[in-house]
Amino acid sequence: EKPFWYLYDKNRKIKLETERQYGLIPVDLIIENLEEALRYDIIWCWQGGFGSVRLINDLKERRFEGKIIVGFSDNTSLMTLFLKNGGKAVQFAGAEDIAYSSRTEFASSLLTLKKLFTGEEIQIKLKSKNVLSKVRFFSLYAGNLTCYLMTVPFLGWVDTEYEASFFEDTFNEYTKAKFIGDYTYYYYCLYLLYLSAFQRKLLILGQMKGIPSKVISLSLREYYKGKYIWGIMWGHNESFQIVPCFKKGEGEGYTFKNSLILNVKWR
């Protein structure tokens, strides 16, 4: 409830102002902790990763073969880095979402993750608000739209080596948008995706918190000139879902009426 809190690291006392950029932790300290975490095979980001895009420039040459990162939302920045440089990534909830889940639900998710990590096949079924056109794909990148677009310029890479790109995001979280200009940033995100649309087999949009469905539908038709489906119930409002990224030979995805189904078996 205080306007700030202190972080103690060795002999340093670091003041983090909670009302200013969510109390960003210094980059060198995060990198130090990440190096410690990389002693292990699996790194689970236990809460949102606001500011993690700041790490990319310092870590973009690092290799992550044999490493798996689990996270959500702004952690997309680190997850994109892992994917590009040899690692694997799973979009999944952190502590806040887990705290509000049932014990049974969490235990089931842990079992699914264990199967994925040990090379067994898993199936993920995500509901859609819309009836979906038939589509099948054999590789998938998933993440937060804004953080993906913030990260790829540092990496000099886009996700078009994956047949399908699956994004979620949240806009105008604390305000009620009333004018078309309030959605300009969202339109700009779709326009940036459009620049590589000819290389992408399919764009999938999950929950876009703060954007009315009619705006999503209109903007996809006008600003994204590629194949797409939208309305998948995954995102900040539906975050307790496992969405693994997978390359060719590691899985497939397909639509069935109002569901998106992913069958994944990591090599």
Side-chain angles (χ1 to χ4, degrees), residues 122-134:
I122 65 168
Q123 183 176 88
I124 305 297
K125 186 175 182 180
L126 300 168
K127 291 291 186 180
S128 170
K129 294 180 178 179
N130 308 309
V131 176
L132 303 173
S133 56
K134 291 183 178 180

Side-chain angles (χ1 to χ4, degrees), residues 52-69:
S52 59
V53 70
R54 299 173 300 152
L55 310 177
I56 303 305
N57 203 44
D58 292 324
L59 297 172
K60 63 183 179 182
E61 303 301 327
R62 182 71 183 266
R63 301 298 301 176
F64 299 100
E65 279 83 0
K67 305 296 180 181
I68 299 170
I69 187 168

